[in-house]
Amino acid sequence: METLASFIDTLGGYVWGPYVLLPLLVGTGIYFIVGLKFMPWRNIGPAFKHMFSGRKSDASHSGELSPFKAMMTCMAATIGTGNIVGVATAIMIGGPGAVFWMWITALVGMATKYAEAVLAVKYREVTPNGDYVGGPMYYIKNGLGQNWKWMAVLFALFGMVASFGIGNMTQCNAITGNLAETFGMNQYVVAAVLFVLVGIVLIGGVKRVGDVAGLVVPFMSVAYIVFGLIIMILNYDKVGPAFMSIIEYAFAPAPAVGGFAGSTIVLAMRFGIARGLFSNEAGLGSGPIAHATAITNNPVRQGFLGMIDPFIDTVLVCSMTAIIILIAGDWSAAERGSAAVMTSHAFGHALPGVGQYFVAIALVMFAFTTILGWCVYGERCAAYLFGHKAIKPFRVIFTLVVPVGALMELTLVWSLSDLFNGLMALPNLVALLLLSPVVFKLTRDYFNKKDKGHLFDE
């Protein structure tokens, strides 16, 4: 078993290393940002306006979920442990400068997720029972043709396997461990309750997932940001130095101090980029599966919702975690322990008696919605591979795995999750680059038909 774990770690390290996936992910984002003439950055404000208007869907359009709920289903899977634990991990290893490179991945990732959402709606299909299915496997098959179908099959296979790891077992484990440590709850009771709650939601299918995500994700995201702002206001004198340390150590080595072993610029870049991509999932190919369900007839309109996902996830939510950790000032302490413990201590230090409990609740809620979102991804991958009849059995198996992940040791599962997440991204990124002319043409056509002040009107 140790030999297998070592092999998987080595393989995962190569896939996610500086010569394969990281430059491909960042390079793809840069390519789309330039190709779109920086459109995602220039239209952040109008995109947020469209997000709020997307809560209502046009009855004349086709799809399953309102554009807003489709986006929230995507964000349910995106905003999770990476926003709390992933940020702390990046700082622990790469130093404060890693946060700057997380921001960079989000800014270029906006263009990548825009392209993913556009292609998801453009090439989606409707099943005989009326489900709207899309994502990389469909825009590979329908956009690139039958000769590329093998790549679509690989993505679906990798996505289905990854859903049990990063989308289920690791999230369940984080929930039980967090509640046991913070509130002293019995892990078996937590696992049982979690099993029931997940089962109740998943029985209702993608529409119930969309309903739950549409309530929980925006509420917890806003609460997390507001809570972070309160801490920043109460510690206003430390906010400036925290931001300055991020900028300074993004371009200079961070010296060894306390329990921190020091960090080079390369290390800050590597872990900042890796954790940023882990958090916002830009380029992994998971998000477009959710965006394909949107009730819309215009791929570009849904693309605008896709592009602000990384901005909310990383620039807003992840930044709150990072600033509070740096405000607390103990990120370099030898006794800081795990990344989750470091974040909890930082919130508790910044707001004694309340902070550590809030971050524990936030982690539980974020992880729970991640489970739901990734079930949608996994079942759609299973349906592509085995047909629509595979969806219900998949939901049953996915639910049965919940208590297993909640209670078992997951060292090997974490390694497998990282590996299969990386393997998902490879065929998706190749497809995005090959289909980029379609994205650019659809975008040009859309903007040519709209006046600047009415980009998001029908």
Side-chain angles (χ1 to χ4, degrees), residues 146-308:
Q146 292 298 314
N147 290 337
W148 295 87
K149 193 174 180 179
W150 61 272
M151 199 163 68
V153 171
L154 284 179
F155 174 87
L157 178 62
F158 296 148
M160 183 180 68
V161 174
S163 70
F164 286 100
I166 198 64
N168 186 326
M169 299 177 75
T170 57
Q171 306 296 328
C172 295
N173 199 265
I175 290 173
T176 54
N178 202 265
L179 291 177
E181 181 177 338
T182 306
F183 300 102
M185 293 185 179
N186 183 285
Q187 289 188 331
Y188 290 94
V189 173
V190 174
V193 172
L194 191 58
F195 169 75
V196 172
L197 291 177
V198 170
I200 289 174
V201 177
L202 296 186
I203 285 174
V206 67
K207 291 186 178 180
R208 186 173 295 175
V209 171
D211 289 340
V212 173
L215 292 173
V216 176
V217 174
F219 172 77
M220 282 308 304
S221 298
V222 171
Y224 196 81
I225 293 170
V226 170
F227 196 85
L229 288 173
I230 292 172
I231 292 177
M232 290 171 67
I233 292 171
L234 294 175
N235 298 271
Y236 67 91
D237 57 321
K238 299 178 182 178
V239 174
F243 274 103
M244 289 304 297
S245 68
I246 291 173
I247 303 301
E248 178 183 357
Y249 293 122
F251 303 99
V257 55
F260 180 61
S263 175
T264 63
I265 299 174
V266 173
L267 204 59
M269 290 179 63
R270 177 182 174 184
F271 280 91
I273 293 171
R275 291 300 93 184
L277 293 169
F278 175 78
S279 177
N280 59 52
E281 298 181 9
L284 293 189
S286 51
I289 298 175
H291 283 290
T293 64
I295 301 174
T296 181
N297 290 344
N298 192 317
V300 172
R301 286 172 61 85
Q302 193 62 27
F304 290 119
L305 294 188
M307 78 185 192
I308 57 175

Side-chain angles (χ1 to χ4, degrees), residues 6 18 36 45-46 53 81 120 147 154 157 159 202 274 356 369 377 395 435:
S6 177
L36 292 167
S53 66
T81 55
N147 290 337
L154 284 179
L157 178 62
L202 296 186
Q356 66 270 32
T369 55
Y377 297 162
R395 290 177 190 164
L435 291 170

